[in-house]
Amino acid sequence: MKTSAQVVVIGGGVVGCSVLYHLTKLGWSDVMLVERKELTSGSTWHAAGGFHMLNGNTNMAALQGYTIRLYKELEELTGMSCGLHHVGGITLADNRDRFDMLVAERAKHRYMGLDTEIVGPEEIARIAPITSLDGIVGGLYDPLDGHLDPSGTTHAYVKAACMGGAAIETHCMVTATTQRADGTWDVVTDKGTVHAEHVVNAGGLWAREVGAMAGIYFPLHPMEHQYIVTDDIPEIYERGEEHPHVMDPAGESYLRQEGRGLCIGFYEKPCRPWAVDGTPWNFGHELLPDDFDKIEDSIAFAYKRFPVLETAGVKSVIHGPFTFAPDGNPLVGPVPGVRNYWSACGVMAGFSQGGGVGLTRAQWMIEGEADRDVTGLDVGRFGAWITPGYTLPKVIENYQNRFSIAYPNEELPAARPHRTTPMYDIFTDPGAVWGHQFGLEVPNYFAAAAEPDYEEPSFRRSNAFDATSREVAAVRGAVGINELQNFGKFSVTGSDARAWLGRIMAGRIPRPGRMALSPLLSEKGRLIGDFTVSCLSDTEFQLTVSYGAQAIHYRWFLKHLAGDVQVRNVSDARTGFQIAGPRARDLLTACTRDPVDLTFMDVRRMTVGQAACIVQRVSYTGDLGYEIYCDPMDQRALWWTLWEAGQPLSLEPFGMRAMMSLRLDKFFGAWLREYSPDYTAAETGLDRFFDWSKDFIGKTAAEAERAAPPARALVTFIVDADKADVTAYEPVFIEGEVRGFCTSGGYAHHSGLSVAHALIPRDRAVEGLVVEIEILDQRRRATLTVTPPFDADGTRMRG
Ligand SMILES: Cc1cc2nc3c(=O)[nH]c(=O)nc-3n(C[C@H](O)[C@H](O)[C@H](O)COP(=O)(O)OP(=O)(O)OC[C@H]3O[C@@H](n4cnc5c(N)ncnc54)[C@H](O)[C@@H]3O)c2cc1C
């Protein structure tokens, strides 16, 4: 056995083998995989082998598309068969909301260049004739759906990896992973120790245990899952062609042909987590006992949807465990805070996603970054706050919702409230309807006494519309207040702080007492952050940014730390309030003895009421506004000071729905919507904040883009919408052809306009351009507009 390797991958399931292959594909050959038994000895061997591209997250859909296309390449490269059956598949809709969701997915696929198709009941009868059409509204057909042989595919990955120089060691159990002082790893196995520069945890069902060897908690959990293979069915084997896949979300089932019969699996509501206190090491090539009780209702439903099943005998039952992360997406990438330790686990659909996960992981390790936005699968998207107690109910919820409709305004209830601020009860009293971000409860809006205390999930304008309208009017008319807890915050101190920030940030670093907006770029010039930099003194700065990305940004800062600089993630150690609206200055004046003469983008320490605060003259609402940061222990006192002083000024609380509407009045973009690693600063206009006079990470790539401007540009449209607005990824038709897509949108209550941001060809980005945007199957006229409808000259915001 090798005693050293550049990379050791732990785990020979489909994911570990794909990672190994992709490392060699991208040019690293001193790589090794260790497997405690035979290859496929976890979830992989008993998978149904189905693959599909449909995924609400467009980057996950693209990653799945890559995986599916890879299989042919793998077969050609190795001469081995993956047992591919590209039979196509239909996802059924039995009600209007499900159909809306499929239509919205199809709309996204238009700009992704995918050949999916909305089909009606007659076409469903033709394509998938064993389906009962009772109550079926329509479906989405995807010609890329299919299935394969799980074991053959895993071995094909391994053969391809070995052709690229990789080594495999089976029957080799990892018992410890120990980091040396220089950051490299000793991977201790029952056959000896391998010294590795990098370790990859692809331990699948045992990823928690493998992680614990390095003191790392991976937020994932195994769930039991069952599918049934039937005896021969004449209606199947007498057809001249293979029956396509049918996904029936109403019945929580997926079905496909297996030999001369069918195979049907269920994501049943009475599901069961497996191995709650840890996966036994002696588990391997065995199955769990059959359990028809928990899928009884699902089977009864399936008999109605596919009547041929009722008389079919059962040939075999496959009941095994596989892992999920709390949001159902894989956990990939460098583990925050642990040098050279990488994650490739929590992959619940290894045959739809394994190839893309392998590629992403290999790019990240070898090239320093992936070639698309990987936030949705980044292991860093969960912070240090996550615990097994939170993960378990979320994973159960995710399993149960696997086939549920995913609404753009949906707030899932499991494991909540988890993290709350001192404002939780104060805001609950006047009717806060809570949402959640990064584990934190955040008020979405405040319902009036006569209104329901929950928001109906919807693809259209929801029952939060009136409350949002009231809150927007309160801000624009007088003054509104909301919490600042859900801002990511970093403190940067030290004698080299200014110089360090100058190199990390692409923008100008402000002088003491001032703030500046600054993009953060990767080495390849990708947009990886959109920061506000506040200079408290030459040796002390505060950075504010998206709350959900704090662990990812912190990982980046620590990786690039140099000189006398201390960076602290103070996202939860600094909280406070934002006040905004024409009377915001009066409110602050009433609460402090300090002079309230801050001009736009000033920052200053002040005492507000009894609390020592950092006050910034800025507001994402685009109005006259202040951000007031304090210690969480002072937050309630600060609230009562502001609230009482605000009564004569008509102060009202507002939530995130109002905030996102207010920003649309000013055409402001949002992180991971308009600004994300998928787009560049030049495409989105953020390059206007670059300080070209200095060196900064990503400058070479940014200069190249300046010399050859990108083909796309971010623009804003006013849409002739009716009861449904743009959410994200709707296609933009220019002269009847799909030429762009929306990044986000919504209803700007103050202006009374439906607003959409979109990326379209730069040469068409001209004021007045009339396009059509597809919203829920309707093409809506939209006009490119440059001037925001509110405070276009900035008098209110800067005044
Ligand atoms: C019933 C069922 C049906 C499914 N159907 C589908 C489907 O149709 N399509 C689809 O895409 N997905 C399906 N899945 C999910 C799929 O099986 C998983 O997504 C996939 O197998 C995960 O692969 P993995 O490599 O991450 O993990 P695993 O397959 O669990 O592999 C982990 C490997 O790591 C090894 N290992 C662990 N610890 C150590 C150690 N300390 N030292 C050395 N080696 C170690 C294990 O022995 C194991 O071989 C199904 C799952 C189930 C249960």
Side-chain angles (χ1 to χ4, degrees), residues 770-789:
V770 175
V771 302
E772 288 177 313
I773 296 179
E774 184 177 326
I775 304 174
L776 297 180
D777 214 13
Q778 302 265 314
R779 291 207 196 167
R780 298 283 174 184
R781 191 185 140 93
T783 309
L784 197 154
T785 308
V786 172
T787 311

mmCIF file with all atom_site columns, all heavy atoms in Angstrom, residues 770-789:
data_model
loop_
_atom_site.group_PDB
_atom_site.id
_atom_site.type_symbol
_atom_site.label_atom_id
_atom_site.label_alt_id
_atom_site.label_comp_id
_atom_site.label_asym_id
_atom_site.label_entity_id
_atom_site.label_seq_id
_atom_site.pdbx_PDB_ins_code
_atom_site.Cartn_x
_atom_site.Cartn_y
_atom_site.Cartn_z
_atom_site.occupancy
_atom_site.B_iso_or_equiv
_atom_site.pdbx_formal_charge
_atom_site.auth_seq_id
_atom_site.auth_comp_id
_atom_site.auth_asym_id
_atom_site.auth_atom_id
_atom_site.pdbx_PDB_model_num
ATOM 1   N N   . VAL A 1 770 ? -38.456 46.866 -25.320 1.00 0.00 ? 770 VAL A N   1
ATOM 2   C CA  . VAL A 1 770 ? -39.648 46.143 -24.871 1.00 0.00 ? 770 VAL A CA  1
ATOM 3   C C   . VAL A 1 770 ? -39.417 44.644 -25.099 1.00 0.00 ? 770 VAL A C   1
ATOM 4   O O   . VAL A 1 770 ? -39.022 44.230 -26.188 1.00 0.00 ? 770 VAL A O   1
ATOM 5   C CB  . VAL A 1 770 ? -40.905 46.629 -25.628 1.00 0.00 ? 770 VAL A CB  1
ATOM 6   C CG1 . VAL A 1 770 ? -42.120 45.779 -25.253 1.00 0.00 ? 770 VAL A CG1 1
ATOM 7   C CG2 . VAL A 1 770 ? -41.164 48.094 -25.306 1.00 0.00 ? 770 VAL A CG2 1
ATOM 8   N N   . VAL A 1 771 ? -39.620 43.860 -24.047 1.00 0.00 ? 771 VAL A N   1
ATOM 9   C CA  . VAL A 1 771 ? -39.398 42.409 -24.112 1.00 0.00 ? 771 VAL A CA  1
ATOM 10  C C   . VAL A 1 771 ? -40.632 41.711 -23.555 1.00 0.00 ? 771 VAL A C   1
ATOM 11  O O   . VAL A 1 771 ? -41.595 42.364 -23.129 1.00 0.00 ? 771 VAL A O   1
ATOM 12  C CB  . VAL A 1 771 ? -38.159 41.996 -23.271 1.00 0.00 ? 771 VAL A CB  1
ATOM 13  C CG1 . VAL A 1 771 ? -36.917 42.731 -23.743 1.00 0.00 ? 771 VAL A CG1 1
ATOM 14  C CG2 . VAL A 1 771 ? -38.397 42.239 -21.771 1.00 0.00 ? 771 VAL A CG2 1
ATOM 15  N N   . GLU A 1 772 ? -40.576 40.383 -23.552 1.00 0.00 ? 772 GLU A N   1
ATOM 16  C CA  . GLU A 1 772 ? -41.611 39.628 -22.843 1.00 0.00 ? 772 GLU A CA  1
ATOM 17  C C   . GLU A 1 772 ? -40.920 38.750 -21.801 1.00 0.00 ? 772 GLU A C   1
ATOM 18  O O   . GLU A 1 772 ? -39.869 38.172 -22.079 1.00 0.00 ? 772 GLU A O   1
ATOM 19  C CB  . GLU A 1 772 ? -42.380 38.740 -23.810 1.00 0.00 ? 772 GLU A CB  1
ATOM 20  C CG  . GLU A 1 772 ? -43.303 39.526 -24.718 1.00 0.00 ? 772 GLU A CG  1
ATOM 21  C CD  . GLU A 1 772 ? -43.986 38.592 -25.716 1.00 0.00 ? 772 GLU A CD  1
ATOM 22  O OE1 . GLU A 1 772 ? -43.299 37.751 -26.321 1.00 0.00 ? 772 GLU A OE1 1
ATOM 23  O OE2 . GLU A 1 772 ? -45.206 38.715 -25.859 1.00 0.00 ? 772 GLU A OE2 1
ATOM 24  N N   . ILE A 1 773 ? -41.510 38.697 -20.635 1.00 0.00 ? 773 ILE A N   1
ATOM 25  C CA  . ILE A 1 773 ? -40.979 37.844 -19.559 1.00 0.00 ? 773 ILE A CA  1
ATOM 26  C C   . ILE A 1 773 ? -42.048 36.807 -19.237 1.00 0.00 ? 773 ILE A C   1
ATOM 27  O O   . ILE A 1 773 ? -43.221 37.158 -19.044 1.00 0.00 ? 773 ILE A O   1
ATOM 28  C CB  . ILE A 1 773 ? -40.631 38.680 -18.316 1.00 0.00 ? 773 ILE A CB  1
ATOM 29  C CG1 . ILE A 1 773 ? -39.495 39.665 -18.659 1.00 0.00 ? 773 ILE A CG1 1
ATOM 30  C CG2 . ILE A 1 773 ? -40.230 37.779 -17.148 1.00 0.00 ? 773 ILE A CG2 1
ATOM 31  C CD1 . ILE A 1 773 ? -39.074 40.569 -17.530 1.00 0.00 ? 773 ILE A CD1 1
ATOM 32  N N   . GLU A 1 774 ? -41.635 35.537 -19.208 1.00 0.00 ? 774 GLU A N   1
ATOM 33  C CA  . GLU A 1 774 ? -42.624 34.472 -18.963 1.00 0.00 ? 774 GLU A CA  1
ATOM 34  C C   . GLU A 1 774 ? -42.816 34.269 -17.468 1.00 0.00 ? 774 GLU A C   1
ATOM 35  O O   . GLU A 1 774 ? -41.905 33.854 -16.758 1.00 0.00 ? 774 GLU A O   1
ATOM 36  C CB  . GLU A 1 774 ? -42.160 33.168 -19.615 1.00 0.00 ? 774 GLU A CB  1
ATOM 37  C CG  . GLU A 1 774 ? -43.191 32.068 -19.486 1.00 0.00 ? 774 GLU A CG  1
ATOM 38  C CD  . GLU A 1 774 ? -42.767 30.786 -20.193 1.00 0.00 ? 774 GLU A CD  1
ATOM 39  O OE1 . GLU A 1 774 ? -42.098 30.858 -21.244 1.00 0.00 ? 774 GLU A OE1 1
ATOM 40  O OE2 . GLU A 1 774 ? -43.093 29.707 -19.672 1.00 0.00 ? 774 GLU A OE2 1
ATOM 41  N N   . ILE A 1 775 ? -44.018 34.602 -16.997 1.00 0.00 ? 775 ILE A N   1
ATOM 42  C CA  . ILE A 1 775 ? -44.349 34.378 -15.585 1.00 0.00 ? 775 ILE A CA  1
ATOM 43  C C   . ILE A 1 775 ? -45.530 33.422 -15.554 1.00 0.00 ? 775 ILE A C   1
ATOM 44  O O   . ILE A 1 775 ? -46.600 33.744 -16.077 1.00 0.00 ? 775 ILE A O   1
ATOM 45  C CB  . ILE A 1 775 ? -44.714 35.706 -14.872 1.00 0.00 ? 775 ILE A CB  1
ATOM 46  C CG1 . ILE A 1 775 ? -43.590 36.723 -15.026 1.00 0.00 ? 775 ILE A CG1 1
ATOM 47  C CG2 . ILE A 1 775 ? -45.038 35.462 -13.409 1.00 0.00 ? 775 ILE A CG2 1
ATOM 48  C CD1 . ILE A 1 775 ? -43.916 38.106 -14.470 1.00 0.00 ? 775 ILE A CD1 1
ATOM 49  N N   . LEU A 1 776 ? -45.333 32.251 -15.007 1.00 0.00 ? 776 LEU A N   1
ATOM 50  C CA  . LEU A 1 776 ? -46.393 31.238 -14.904 1.00 0.00 ? 776 LEU A CA  1
ATOM 51  C C   . LEU A 1 776 ? -47.126 31.053 -16.231 1.00 0.00 ? 776 LEU A C   1
ATOM 52  O O   . LEU A 1 776 ? -48.344 31.220 -16.307 1.00 0.00 ? 776 LEU A O   1
ATOM 53  C CB  . LEU A 1 776 ? -47.383 31.603 -13.790 1.00 0.00 ? 776 LEU A CB  1
ATOM 54  C CG  . LEU A 1 776 ? -46.809 31.643 -12.388 1.00 0.00 ? 776 LEU A CG  1
ATOM 55  C CD1 . LEU A 1 776 ? -47.886 32.016 -11.383 1.00 0.00 ? 776 LEU A CD1 1
ATOM 56  C CD2 . LEU A 1 776 ? -46.174 30.314 -12.015 1.00 0.00 ? 776 LEU A CD2 1
ATOM 57  N N   . ASP A 1 777 ? -46.388 30.746 -17.257 1.00 0.00 ? 777 ASP A N   1
ATOM 58  C CA  . ASP A 1 777 ? -46.953 30.392 -18.556 1.00 0.00 ? 777 ASP A CA  1
ATOM 59  C C   . ASP A 1 777 ? -47.530 31.576 -19.334 1.00 0.00 ? 777 ASP A C   1
ATOM 60  O O   . ASP A 1 777 ? -48.129 31.388 -20.377 1.00 0.00 ? 777 ASP A O   1
ATOM 61  C CB  . ASP A 1 777 ? -48.055 29.320 -18.369 1.00 0.00 ? 777 ASP A CB  1
ATOM 62  C CG  . ASP A 1 777 ? -48.082 28.374 -19.551 1.00 0.00 ? 777 ASP A CG  1
ATOM 63  O OD1 . ASP A 1 777 ? -47.117 28.403 -20.339 1.00 0.00 ? 777 ASP A OD1 1
ATOM 64  O OD2 . ASP A 1 777 ? -49.067 27.634 -19.707 1.00 0.00 ? 777 ASP A OD2 1
ATOM 65  N N   . GLN A 1 778 ? -47.425 32.771 -18.783 1.00 0.00 ? 778 GLN A N   1
ATOM 66  C CA  . GLN A 1 778 ? -47.951 33.947 -19.476 1.00 0.00 ? 778 GLN A CA  1
ATOM 67  C C   . GLN A 1 778 ? -46.769 34.819 -19.860 1.00 0.00 ? 778 GLN A C   1
ATOM 68  O O   . GLN A 1 778 ? -45.927 35.112 -19.019 1.00 0.00 ? 778 GLN A O   1
ATOM 69  C CB  . GLN A 1 778 ? -48.825 34.779 -18.535 1.00 0.00 ? 778 GLN A CB  1
ATOM 70  C CG  . GLN A 1 778 ? -49.982 34.049 -17.940 1.00 0.00 ? 778 GLN A CG  1
ATOM 71  C CD  . GLN A 1 778 ? -51.228 34.279 -18.754 1.00 0.00 ? 778 GLN A CD  1
ATOM 72  O OE1 . GLN A 1 778 ? -51.511 35.414 -19.121 1.00 0.00 ? 778 GLN A OE1 1
ATOM 73  N NE2 . GLN A 1 778 ? -51.946 33.219 -19.054 1.00 0.00 ? 778 GLN A NE2 1
ATOM 74  N N   . ARG A 1 779 ? -46.733 35.228 -21.103 1.00 0.00 ? 779 ARG A N   1
ATOM 75  C CA  . ARG A 1 779 ? -45.669 36.163 -21.496 1.00 0.00 ? 779 ARG A CA  1
ATOM 76  C C   . ARG A 1 779 ? -46.133 37.588 -21.204 1.00 0.00 ? 779 ARG A C   1
ATOM 77  O O   . ARG A 1 779 ? -47.131 38.038 -21.755 1.00 0.00 ? 779 ARG A O   1
ATOM 78  C CB  . ARG A 1 779 ? -45.356 36.004 -22.974 1.00 0.00 ? 779 ARG A CB  1
ATOM 79  C CG  . ARG A 1 779 ? -44.688 34.677 -23.248 1.00 0.00 ? 779 ARG A CG  1
ATOM 80  C CD  . ARG A 1 779 ? -43.834 34.800 -24.470 1.00 0.00 ? 779 ARG A CD  1
ATOM 81  N NE  . ARG A 1 779 ? -43.497 33.493 -24.973 1.00 0.00 ? 779 ARG A NE  1
ATOM 82  C CZ  . ARG A 1 779 ? -42.963 33.285 -26.164 1.00 0.00 ? 779 ARG A CZ  1
ATOM 83  N NH1 . ARG A 1 779 ? -42.732 34.303 -26.977 1.00 0.00 ? 779 ARG A NH1 1
ATOM 84  N NH2 . ARG A 1 779 ? -42.655 32.075 -26.561 1.00 0.00 ? 779 ARG A NH2 1
ATOM 85  N N   . ARG A 1 780 ? -45.400 38.242 -20.332 1.00 0.00 ? 780 ARG A N   1
ATOM 86  C CA  . ARG A 1 780 ? -45.770 39.587 -19.886 1.00 0.00 ? 780 ARG A CA  1
ATOM 87  C C   . ARG A 1 780 ? -44.861 40.619 -20.545 1.00 0.00 ? 780 ARG A C   1
ATOM 88  O O   . ARG A 1 780 ? -43.635 40.460 -20.540 1.00 0.00 ? 780 ARG A O   1
ATOM 89  C CB  . ARG A 1 780 ? -45.610 39.688 -18.370 1.00 0.00 ? 780 ARG A CB  1
ATOM 90  C CG  . ARG A 1 780 ? -46.511 38.751 -17.606 1.00 0.00 ? 780 ARG A CG  1
ATOM 91  C CD  . ARG A 1 780 ? -47.890 39.318 -17.591 1.00 0.00 ? 780 ARG A CD  1
ATOM 92  N NE  . ARG A 1 780 ? -48.841 38.411 -16.989 1.00 0.00 ? 780 ARG A NE  1
ATOM 93  C CZ  . ARG A 1 780 ? -50.136 38.680 -16.935 1.00 0.00 ? 780 ARG A CZ  1
ATOM 94  N NH1 . ARG A 1 780 ? -50.611 39.809 -17.444 1.00 0.00 ? 780 ARG A NH1 1
ATOM 95  N NH2 . ARG A 1 780 ? -50.971 37.838 -16.398 1.00 0.00 ? 780 ARG A NH2 1
ATOM 96  N N   . ARG A 1 781 ? -45.482 41.694 -21.037 1.00 0.00 ? 781 ARG A N   1
ATOM 97  C CA  . ARG A 1 781 ? -44.707 42.775 -21.647 1.00 0.00 ? 781 ARG A CA  1
ATOM 98  C C   . ARG A 1 781 ? -43.884 43.457 -20.554 1.00 0.00 ? 781 ARG A C   1
ATOM 99  O O   . ARG A 1 781 ? -44.379 43.691 -19.445 1.00 0.00 ? 781 ARG A O   1
ATOM 100 C CB  . ARG A 1 781 ? -45.706 43.755 -22.245 1.00 0.00 ? 781 ARG A CB  1
ATOM 101 C CG  . ARG A 1 781 ? -45.157 44.810 -23.135 1.00 0.00 ? 781 ARG A CG  1
ATOM 102 C CD  . ARG A 1 781 ? -46.333 45.732 -23.509 1.00 0.00 ? 781 ARG A CD  1
ATOM 103 N NE  . ARG A 1 781 ? -45.866 47.110 -23.502 1.00 0.00 ? 781 ARG A NE  1
ATOM 104 C CZ  . ARG A 1 781 ? -45.420 47.737 -24.566 1.00 0.00 ? 781 ARG A CZ  1
ATOM 105 N NH1 . ARG A 1 781 ? -45.408 47.133 -25.728 1.00 0.00 ? 781 ARG A NH1 1
ATOM 106 N NH2 . ARG A 1 781 ? -44.987 48.983 -24.483 1.00 0.00 ? 781 ARG A NH2 1
ATOM 107 N N   . ALA A 1 782 ? -42.651 43.800 -20.868 1.00 0.00 ? 782 ALA A N   1
ATOM 108 C CA  . ALA A 1 782 ? -41.794 44.469 -19.876 1.00 0.00 ? 782 ALA A CA  1
ATOM 109 C C   . ALA A 1 782 ? -40.915 45.486 -20.596 1.00 0.00 ? 782 ALA A C   1
ATOM 110 O O   . ALA A 1 782 ? -40.478 45.250 -21.724 1.00 0.00 ? 782 ALA A O   1
ATOM 111 C CB  . ALA A 1 782 ? -40.927 43.441 -19.169 1.00 0.00 ? 782 ALA A CB  1
ATOM 112 N N   . THR A 1 783 ? -40.659 46.593 -19.924 1.00 0.00 ? 783 THR A N   1
ATOM 113 C CA  . THR A 1 783 ? -39.918 47.684 -20.552 1.00 0.00 ? 783 THR A CA  1
ATOM 114 C C   . THR A 1 783 ? -38.645 47.975 -19.766 1.00 0.00 ? 783 THR A C   1
ATOM 115 O O   . THR A 1 783 ? -38.693 48.180 -18.535 1.00 0.00 ? 783 THR A O   1
ATOM 116 C CB  . THR A 1 783 ? -40.791 48.968 -20.580 1.00 0.00 ? 783 THR A CB  1
ATOM 117 O OG1 . THR A 1 783 ? -42.045 48.605 -21.146 1.00 0.00 ? 783 THR A OG1 1
ATOM 118 C CG2 . THR A 1 783 ? -40.153 50.056 -21.412 1.00 0.00 ? 783 THR A CG2 1
ATOM 119 N N   . LEU A 1 784 ? -37.541 47.990 -20.487 1.00 0.00 ? 784 LEU A N   1
ATOM 120 C CA  . LEU A 1 784 ? -36.255 48.263 -19.833 1.00 0.00 ? 784 LEU A CA  1
ATOM 121 C C   . LEU A 1 784 ? -36.240 49.709 -19.342 1.00 0.00 ? 784 LEU A C   1
ATOM 122 O O   . LEU A 1 784 ? -36.489 50.644 -20.108 1.00 0.00 ? 784 LEU A O   1
ATOM 123 C CB  . LEU A 1 784 ? -35.112 48.012 -20.819 1.00 0.00 ? 784 LEU A CB  1
ATOM 124 C CG  . LEU A 1 784 ? -33.726 47.855 -20.225 1.00 0.00 ? 784 LEU A CG  1
ATOM 125 C CD1 . LEU A 1 784 ? -32.843 47.022 -21.152 1.00 0.00 ? 784 LEU A CD1 1
ATOM 126 C CD2 . LEU A 1 784 ? -33.047 49.157 -19.906 1.00 0.00 ? 784 LEU A CD2 1
ATOM 127 N N   . THR A 1 785 ? -35.964 49.861 -18.063 1.00 0.00 ? 785 THR A N   1
ATOM 128 C CA  . THR A 1 785 ? -36.046 51.180 -17.435 1.00 0.00 ? 785 THR A CA  1
ATOM 129 C C   . THR A 1 785 ? -34.747 51.446 -16.679 1.00 0.00 ? 785 THR A C   1
ATOM 130 O O   . THR A 1 785 ? -34.267 50.592 -15.938 1.00 0.00 ? 785 THR A O   1
ATOM 131 C CB  . THR A 1 785 ? -37.247 51.221 -16.464 1.00 0.00 ? 785 THR A CB  1
ATOM 132 O OG1 . THR A 1 785 ? -38.399 50.783 -17.177 1.00 0.00 ? 785 THR A OG1 1
ATOM 133 C CG2 . THR A 1 785 ? -37.493 52.597 -15.912 1.00 0.00 ? 785 THR A CG2 1
ATOM 134 N N   . VAL A 1 786 ? -34.203 52.625 -16.895 1.00 0.00 ? 786 VAL A N   1
ATOM 135 C CA  . VAL A 1 786 ? -32.913 52.950 -16.285 1.00 0.00 ? 786 VAL A CA  1
ATOM 136 C C   . VAL A 1 786 ? -33.104 53.761 -14.996 1.00 0.00 ? 786 VAL A C   1
ATOM 137 O O   . VAL A 1 786 ? -32.380 53.591 -14.022 1.00 0.00 ? 786 VAL A O   1
ATOM 138 C CB  . VAL A 1 786 ? -32.037 53.723 -17.303 1.00 0.00 ? 786 VAL A CB  1
ATOM 139 C CG1 . VAL A 1 786 ? -30.776 54.251 -16.657 1.00 0.00 ? 786 VAL A CG1 1
ATOM 140 C CG2 . VAL A 1 786 ? -31.709 52.829 -18.495 1.00 0.00 ? 786 VAL A CG2 1
ATOM 141 N N   . THR A 1 787 ? -34.113 54.622 -14.992 1.00 0.00 ? 787 THR A N   1
ATOM 142 C CA  . THR A 1 787 ? -34.279 55.529 -13.855 1.00 0.00 ? 787 THR A CA  1
ATOM 143 C C   . THR A 1 787 ? -35.210 54.916 -12.810 1.00 0.00 ? 787 THR A C   1
ATOM 144 O O   . THR A 1 787 ? -36.361 54.592 -13.119 1.00 0.00 ? 787 THR A O   1
ATOM 145 C CB  . THR A 1 787 ? -34.898 56.866 -14.334 1.00 0.00 ? 787 THR A CB  1
ATOM 146 O OG1 . THR A 1 787 ? -34.136 57.293 -15.456 1.00 0.00 ? 787 THR A OG1 1
ATOM 147 C CG2 . THR A 1 787 ? -34.875 57.917 -13.253 1.00 0.00 ? 787 THR A CG2 1
ATOM 148 N N   . PRO A 1 788 ? -34.724 54.732 -11.580 1.00 0.00 ? 788 PRO A N   1
ATOM 149 C CA  . PRO A 1 788 ? -35.606 54.140 -10.560 1.00 0.00 ? 788 PRO A CA  1
ATOM 150 C C   . PRO A 1 788 ? -36.786 55.046 -10.254 1.00 0.00 ? 788 PRO A C   1
ATOM 151 O O   . PRO A 1 788 ? -36.659 56.278 -10.295 1.00 0.00 ? 788 PRO A O   1
ATOM 152 C CB  . PRO A 1 788 ? -34.697 53.988 -9.334  1.00 0.00 ? 788 PRO A CB  1
ATOM 153 C CG  . PRO A 1 788 ? -33.425 54.648 -9.652  1.00 0.00 ? 788 PRO A CG  1
ATOM 154 C CD  . PRO A 1 788 ? -33.399 55.058 -11.091 1.00 0.00 ? 788 PRO A CD  1
ATOM 155 N N   . PRO A 1 789 ? -37.945 54.456 -9.947  1.00 0.00 ? 789 PRO A N   1
ATOM 156 C CA  . PRO A 1 789 ? -39.145 55.271 -9.746  1.00 0.00 ? 789 PRO A CA  1
ATOM 157 C C   . PRO A 1 789 ? -39.128 56.078 -8.452  1.00 0.00 ? 789 PRO A C   1
ATOM 158 O O   . PRO A 1 789 ? -39.901 57.009 -8.295  1.00 0.00 ? 789 PRO A O   1
ATOM 159 C CB  . PRO A 1 789 ? -40.268 54.235 -9.716  1.00 0.00 ? 789 PRO A CB  1
ATOM 160 C CG  . PRO A 1 789 ? -39.610 52.931 -9.396  1.00 0.00 ? 789 PRO A CG  1
ATOM 161 C CD  . PRO A 1 789 ? -38.221 53.023 -9.902  1.00 0.00 ? 789 PRO A CD  1
#
